[in-house]
Amino acid sequence: MDHVIVLFDLPFLLRVEESLNLEQPDNYEDYFVIINGAEIMLRFKKNTREINGFQIATEDIRGQLSYSSVMVGFNEQFFNLEGIADTFRGYELQIWETALEAVNQFLEIYRRETNSSWINRIINADVYNYYIRALKDGKTIDQYHKGSLGNGKGLGNIVTQEQDAAIRQKLSLSWKADDLERLAFLPEHQFLMEDYWAATLSIGIYCEAFLSSIFRSEYSKHGLSEAQIDQKFINKKRKAPHAFTKFLRNSVRELCNQDVNDSNSEIHKYFVSWCTDTRDIRNLLAHGKKMKVSKDIATKAMSSGKGLMGYLQKVLR
């Protein structure tokens, strides 16, 4: 084989020159991404949906009416570096993951340079079908297809009776989510999209906002005015806002009759876990610390934040 290509569709449109076809004019330059010392080629094609026989050419940000396809090309340099012989068989997952990494590197640069905030990294769940093809002298000599279309997975499931009843009740009350409830979904979404850096940062922010909210509510139940509650967040000596940890320590002592630093208290393990896995990592990121946030780090940050929030919500219920 001369080279291998991976083909799949993106869930949005990219405004780049049409280049997917192998035959290109002399003045066209391919995009290349360097991964582990090998040049990975990228080419793109715009597609439009057909509805009732009409081609829909409108550009939209969610890929419902138009979208792009991408071809990721691997040459002999990649296979020599990776120790892959004359066939890609047995290396399908490695090739697919490398293709995904190359496309995501391109997308992050594209998003920045075009100010396209709706462009996200691609994860496996975004790609329903992809093809890996081995080419020799311009002809396909082997093909691997990975797809999930047609299995109907999840289509027969419906919400539970309890969920349906809750939806109907909130609709009847014209219920609307507040900003804090909207924020609650942000870390979950970012984690699902494998943006672990953003998920770790946002769970730290949400945790502090949520705990501040329930403490405000509890102080209000104790008869404090809004102005008096605001003073709980202020360091009177410095006349500046408390560090959140200081506010948390004071509020737990006043409202829960516990000392977060007491190893015998119920809250201690939740507090220590939050300090180590959520607060400290969030602060490093917020203060510009350059670090790679792995799935494991993000998982611990999410778990520790939820643990402290869940415990205090139960105690203050």
Side-chain angles (χ1 to χ4, degrees):
M1 62 182 181
D2 299 327
H3 56 280
V4 167
I5 60 173
V6 179
L7 297 153
F8 61 96
D9 296 333
L10 301 173
F12 38 67
L13 184 73
L14 300 178
R15 298 188 299 274
V16 293
E17 187 174 346
E18 297 276 345
S19 59
L20 194 144
N21 294 328
L22 291 177
E23 297 297 329
Q24 295 297 319
D26 294 336
N27 61 353
Y28 178 77
E29 293 185 13
D30 284 313
Y31 293 106
F32 287 97
V33 177
I34 308 298
I35 296 181
N36 296 332
E39 288 188 334
I40 312 297
M41 180 188 69
L42 301 179
R43 291 178 176 174
F44 301 93
K45 176 186 176 183
K46 298 184 183 74
N47 302 287
T48 56
R49 307 286 184 186
E50 184 173 305
I51 301 176
N52 295 330
F54 293 95
Q55 289 294 118
I56 308 299
T58 303
E59 179 182 353
D60 69 308
I61 66 175
R62 298 188 182 278
Q64 300 298 309
L65 302 178
S66 53
Y67 62 97
S68 288
S69 298
V70 59
M71 182 182 78
V72 185
F74 300 85
N75 59 21
E76 291 182 354
Q77 179 192 27
F78 172 81
F79 296 111
N80 290 336
L81 288 170
E82 299 295 329
I84 299 176
D86 295 331
T87 177
F88 65 77
R89 293 292 177 171
Y91 300 94
E92 293 94 339
L93 180 60
Q94 180 181 349
I95 291 172
W96 166 244
E97 290 179 344
T98 305
L100 209 57
E101 181 182 353
V103 171
N104 280 329
Q105 284 192 28
F106 174 87
L107 291 176
E108 288 179 346
I109 297 172
Y110 176 92
R111 176 172 58 187
R112 182 181 187 277
E113 297 303 320
T114 63
N115 195 30
S116 302
S117 60
W118 61 89
I119 298 294
N120 291 311
R121 290 174 56 82
I122 300 299
I123 61 174
N124 282 296
D126 293 318
V127 182
Y128 298 105
N129 288 278
Y130 68 84
Y131 295 86
I132 301 177
R133 293 175 183 168
L135 303 178
K136 187 175 181 62
D137 298 326
K139 297 181 179 180
T140 300
I141 59 172
D142 193 8
Q143 175 172 285
Y144 170 81
H145 171 239
K146 176 74 172 180
S148 59
L149 286 180
N151 62 17
K153 183 178 179 181
L155 295 181
N157 297 332
I158 60 174
V159 296
T160 64
Q161 291 183 347
E162 292 77 10
Q163 290 170 331
D164 186 68
I167 292 171
R168 294 177 186 277
Q169 181 186 31
K170 285 183 169 60
L171 287 173
S172 68
L173 298 173
S174 298
W175 180 90
K176 292 183 180 179
D178 62 23
D179 292 334
L180 189 59
E181 286 167 319
R182 293 191 183 97
L183 179 59
F185 287 97
L186 186 59
E188 300 286 352
H189 174 70
Q190 291 166 333
F191 189 90
L192 177 65
M193 298 303 296
E194 299 178 9
D195 191 348
Y196 302 127
W197 189 96
T200 302
L201 185 61
S202 60
I203 188 62
I205 295 170
Y206 172 64
C207 189
E208 293 188 14
F210 176 84
L211 292 177
S212 295
S213 177
I214 64 172
F215 280 129
R216 281 184 175 276
S217 177
E218 191 66 19
Y219 278 125
S220 180
K221 291 177 185 177
H222 283 66
L224 274 66
S225 67
E226 191 70 21
Q228 289 173 316
I229 295 173
D230 288 342
Q231 289 302 308
K232 296 290 184 181
F233 291 82
I234 301 298
N235 184 317
K236 294 178 181 178
K237 291 182 179 180
R238 293 167 40 197
K239 296 182 179 180
H242 275 308
F244 181 76
T245 306
K246 179 70 172 179
F247 165 76
L248 177 62
R249 186 180 294 115
N250 292 343
S251 297
V252 168
R253 185 182 298 113
E254 293 176 356
L255 298 174
C256 307
N257 196 29
Q258 292 194 58
D259 183 352
V260 296
N261 294 321
D262 182 358
S263 60
N264 294 317
S265 66
E266 282 189 351
I267 196 174
H268 179 71
K269 65 178 181 179
Y270 298 103
F271 175 75
V272 171
S273 181
W274 169 78
C275 287
T276 304
D277 297 328
T278 308
R279 182 201 64 183
D280 290 353
I281 302 299
R282 178 262 182 188
N283 286 344
L284 286 174
L285 300 180
H287 297 160
K289 173 70 174 178
K290 302 290 185 181
M291 63 180 294
K292 179 175 176 61
V293 179
S294 65
K295 182 178 181 180
D296 182 58
I297 291 174
T299 299
K300 288 182 178 179
M302 301 275 283
S303 176
S304 297
K306 290 178 180 178
L308 182 61
M309 288 188 288
Y311 174 78
L312 284 172
Q313 189 175 31
K314 180 181 69 174
V315 170
L316 296 173
R317 182 176 298 167

